């Protein structure tokens, strides 16, 4: 499955627009990562545990996006974006979304 953040696919023609597709995950933060982040905030620097969790959430959301596009018979997803928001004191939502298309 081709995933593109562009609105087209250079060298390919879009033959059909199947509609918007999304992939969503909501995850709670790991207590160990939270504790490490609290300590790290004192001295500064990257919060490695939280970065790892966010990357895992993005990959899970993207795979669910691909699954949704595949179910529609898409060849690609264009204009793909990520969005994230807090949904509770220790939970974060990550959504991947875009337009499922067929290509020539």
């Amino acid at each position: 499955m081709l995933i593109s953040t562009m609105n087209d696919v250079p060298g390919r023609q879009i033959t059909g627009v199947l509609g918007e597709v999304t992939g969503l995950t909501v995850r709670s933060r790991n207590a160990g990562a939270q504790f490490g982040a609290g300590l790290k905030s004192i001295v500064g620097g990257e919060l490695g545990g939280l970065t790892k969790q966010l990357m895992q959430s993005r990959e899970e959301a993207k795979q669910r996006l691909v699954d949704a596009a595949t179910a529609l018979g898409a060849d690609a997803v264009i204009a793909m974006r990520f969005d994230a928001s807090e949904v509770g004191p220790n939970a974060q939502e990550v959504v991947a979304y875009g337009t499922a298309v067929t290509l020539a």
Side-chain angles (χ1 to χ4, degrees):
M1 175 73 56
L2 176 67
I3 307 293
S4 175
T5 58
M6 296 184 294
N7 293 329
D8 56 10
V9 180
R12 304 285 299 271
Q13 181 181 1
I14 295 173
T15 57
V17 175
L18 304 174
E20 181 182 322
V21 286
T22 61
L24 175 70
T25 186
V26 177
R27 289 187 173 207
S28 62
R29 292 194 189 106
N30 176 300
Q34 280 293 102
F35 180 73
L39 293 177
K40 189 70 155 184
S41 68
I42 296 170
V43 296
E46 181 180 7
L47 306 177
L50 293 178
T51 299
K52 182 179 175 182
Q53 282 187 319
L54 184 54
M55 288 302 297
Q56 289 171 342
S57 295
R58 285 173 61 115
E59 284 304 312
E60 185 171 40
K62 189 165 81 171
Q63 184 57 54
R64 290 178 179 176
L65 170 84
V66 168
D67 293 346
T70 300
L72 292 176
D75 298 315
V77 175
I78 59 170
M80 194 280 289
R81 303 286 187 267
F82 286 107
D83 196 10
S85 63
E86 300 292 320
V87 293
N90 290 315
Q92 184 174 41
E93 165 199 48
V94 176
V95 62
Y97 60 95
T99 303
V101 298
T102 55
L103 302 172

